[in-house]
Amino acid sequence: MPLFLRALNHSANHSAVPNTLIFNSLATKGANIMDEKIAKLKEWIDGSDNIVFFGGAGVSTESGIPDFRSVDGLYNQQYKYPPETILSHTFFLSETEEFYRFYRTKMLALDAKPNAAHLKLAEWEREGKCRAVVTQNIDGLHQKAGSKEVLELHGSVLRNYCMRCRKPYPVEDIAKGTGIPRCSCGGIIKPDVVLYEEGLDSYTINKSVDYISKADILIIGGTSLAVYPAAGLIDYYRGNKLVLVNKSPTPADRRADLVIHAPIGEVFSQL
């Protein structure tokens, strides 16, 4: 074998082991850092009775509900109209039947079950630790897990009402029907969710601000903090234990006191 090939072969044989060791060392170091972060979060939680949780779509994806803005989410699938258009107030009024065709297929997940994050938050509330859950989700899984003080910024698919007489209707009536759901009075039934072009409920906003501004610990979980005005609510936090748990980086990472990049259910199951 020529000398230069021997040299290359020798180098390759000797560099493979160190590279493996380096990789393993980095993986171990990363796992240790993650363990330290979770231990720190647990320590904070154990010592607090004033926790507020602010959550987004990532909390529900682990229950099988798609995230609009993830790579595999609804926003990256193909429809006759983009979901942003379908889920707007204007489209609901002008193309109501098409709205409901999409809504029944893509927005209702009535068989979804609460995951580790939902269950842990409900447990903390029962223990007197979690004061409120402020959520951007509309699936009702926090209540299904047992949480009582849930502030739904974008409403809930579980509530529906007649636009004419305001009579309430359960979600089952919407799910099992076809076409445009109508009230006994003849009015169109609308889901109690905040569509694009609609404003958030002022009472829900004010109550969320009150809880967040007085919180000892604010845990932000499963959200890219891209949806405003909801994402702006975290600016009202005045404490020094701002925790951010999300699979990917967010604009608030740099101001958080503790950042954990991991699935929220995986993290909460260790607390």
Side-chain angles (χ1 to χ4, degrees):
M1 180 183 292
L3 286 176
F4 77 92
L5 287 179
R6 287 184 192 172
L8 287 174
N9 190 48
H10 178 82
S11 174
N13 288 338
H14 281 74
S15 64
V17 173
N19 284 342
T20 302
L21 290 174
I22 289 170
F23 179 81
N24 289 338
S25 175
L26 289 173
T28 301
K29 183 178 180 181
N32 289 340
I33 292 173
M34 180 64 72
D35 289 343
E36 289 173 7
K37 288 184 174 184
I38 291 175
K40 172 57 72 175
L41 178 55
K42 190 174 188 310
E43 177 187 326
W44 286 354
I45 290 166
D46 289 345
S48 178
D49 63 355
N50 188 4
I51 302 166
V52 173
F53 179 80
F54 180 93
V59 180
S60 293
T61 54
E62 293 177 50
S63 292
I65 297 176
D67 176 358
F68 278 81
R69 291 169 181 79
S70 71
V71 173
D72 299 318
L74 298 180
Y75 276 39
N76 292 276
Q77 299 176 23
Q78 297 298 314
Y79 299 98
K80 185 177 179 182
Y81 302 94
E84 302 98 321
T85 299
I86 297 174
L87 297 174
S88 69
H89 182 78
T90 298
F91 194 90
F92 176 81
L93 294 179
S94 62
E95 303 283 348
T96 312
E97 188 165 1
E98 182 67 12
F99 170 91
Y100 269 110
R101 189 171 71 84
F102 175 88
Y103 183 81
R104 288 188 178 100
T105 303
K106 299 298 181 184
M107 302 301 292
L108 298 181
L110 304 185
D111 294 330
K113 303 242 181 331
N115 59 55
H118 298 107
L119 296 171
K120 182 58 70 172
L121 288 165
E123 177 186 316
W124 290 343
E125 186 184 65
R126 289 192 299 272
E127 294 173 349
K129 305 180 78 60
C130 183
R131 297 292 179 89
V133 169
V134 181
T135 180
Q136 300 175 79
N137 298 331
I138 59 176
D139 47 52
L141 288 180
H142 284 293
Q143 291 93 327
K144 192 178 284 190
S147 290
K148 305 298 183 187
E149 187 68 333
V150 181
L151 300 168
E152 297 168 312
L153 297 173
H154 297 148
S156 172
V157 299
L158 303 183
R159 299 187 300 269
N160 304 270
Y161 64 92
C162 172
M163 297 177 70
R164 180 185 294 174
C165 72
R166 311 299 293 184
K167 179 180 177 180
Y169 283 86
V171 67
E172 290 78 13
D173 285 6
I174 307 301
K176 70 185 181 184
T178 58
I180 301 173
R182 290 193 176 273
C183 176
S184 54
C185 77
I188 294 174
I189 299 171
K190 183 183 183 294
D192 188 15
V193 298
V194 179
L195 302 176
Y196 288 101
E197 305 169 353
E198 295 179 346
L200 302 187
D201 177 71
S202 59
Y203 174 80
T204 304
I205 287 287
N206 291 336
K207 202 164 184 184
S208 298
V209 167
D210 187 53
Y211 275 120
I212 289 171
S213 64
K214 295 174 181 176
D216 170 34
I217 302 174
L218 176 62
I219 302 176
I220 302 169
T223 174
S224 60
L225 295 173
V227 180
Y228 282 82
L233 292 179
I234 69 170
D235 294 337
Y236 289 94
Y237 178 62
R238 296 291 178 261
N240 60 0
K241 295 184 179 72
L242 178 60
V243 181
L244 214 153
V245 182
N246 198 51
K247 288 196 289 187
S248 56
T250 79
D253 282 16
R254 64 185 179 276
R255 42 190 284 217
D257 300 291
L258 182 62
V259 177
I260 301 176
H261 287 153
I264 190 164
E266 176 184 309
V267 173
F268 274 45
S269 64
Q270 299 178 61
L271 297 174

